[in-house]
């Protein structure tokens, strides 16, 4: 099916809001690992006034430890943003969206698009990714 410029595919489905599933998280970490540096990554959780927490929101740690941290259940959602100190890439799993956005170098994006686990779609800066996106 041919899509109008700036549209999402009709049957594109994402994970639960704000939560990257264990299988998807493991695969995403695996794809990102070659693009991460040895100094670890930053993980930022969203400030959500309706939940209200005194837990820390910013962490620094090894990328491959993220899956275990999420499985621990310490936080209701996955980190909203994660990135290496080099800022070569960034992952955004907004708690209000049903998809994750990854920005990075072309080689990283190509690796994501060829994953057999992740359902990926390349977008351009002008592609709408909000509730006003026209769906064919």
């Amino acid at each position: 099916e041919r899509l109008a410029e700036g549209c999402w595919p009709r049957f594109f489905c994402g994970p639960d809001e704000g939560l990257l599933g264990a299988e998807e998280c493991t695969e995403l970490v695996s794809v990102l690992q070659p693009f991460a540096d040895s100094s670890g990554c930053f993980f930022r959780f969203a400030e959500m006034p309706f939940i209200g927490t005194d837990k820390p929101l910013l962490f620094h740690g090894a990328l491959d430890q993220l899956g275990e941290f999420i499985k621990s259940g310490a936080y209701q959602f996955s980190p909203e943003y994660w990135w290496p100190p080099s800022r070569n890439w960034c992952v955004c799993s907004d708690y209000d969206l049903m998809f994750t956005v990854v920005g990075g170098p072309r080689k990283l994006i190509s690796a994501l698009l060829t994953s057999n686990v992740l359902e990926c779609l390349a977008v351009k800066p002008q592609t709408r990714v909000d509730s006003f996106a026209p769906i064919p």
Side-chain angles (χ1 to χ4, degrees):
E1 175 177 333
R2 186 173 166 89
L3 300 175
E5 184 67 29
C7 293
W8 286 96
R10 176 189 259 175
F11 298 109
F12 188 73
C13 296
D16 292 334
E17 288 186 27
L19 182 62
L20 197 57
E23 183 181 15
E24 291 84 8
C25 183
T26 300
E27 176 71 5
L28 184 53
V29 165
S30 173
V31 172
L32 290 170
Q33 197 70 53
F35 301 91
D37 44 47
S38 60
S39 58
C41 290
F42 293 101
F43 304 97
R44 170 73 162 76
F45 287 84
E47 294 179 52
M48 293 176 272
F50 57 90
I51 291 180
T53 182
D54 57 354
K55 295 179 183 179
L57 299 176
L58 181 65
F59 293 88
H60 182 265
L63 181 60
D64 59 0
Q65 293 176 327
L66 179 61
E68 287 303 315
F69 184 80
I70 291 173
K71 285 181 196 174
S72 76
Y75 287 76
Q76 181 177 352
F77 300 104
S78 315
E80 183 174 27
Y81 291 100
W82 20 315
W83 68 96
S86 64
R87 298 182 184 159
N88 288 338
W89 50 263
C90 183
V91 174
C92 176
S93 290
D94 188 283
Y95 65 89
D96 255 349
L97 301 178
M98 297 184 72
F99 52 85
T100 295
V101 178
V102 180
R106 290 181 193 263
K107 285 185 179 182
L108 167 59
I109 302 306
S110 293
L112 289 168
L113 290 170
T114 59
S115 168
N116 291 325
V117 175
L118 302 172
E119 183 177 23
C120 296
L121 176 68
V123 297
K124 298 175 183 176
Q126 63 270 24
T127 304
R128 303 260 342 214
V129 294
D130 59 14
S131 60
F132 297 109
I135 298 177

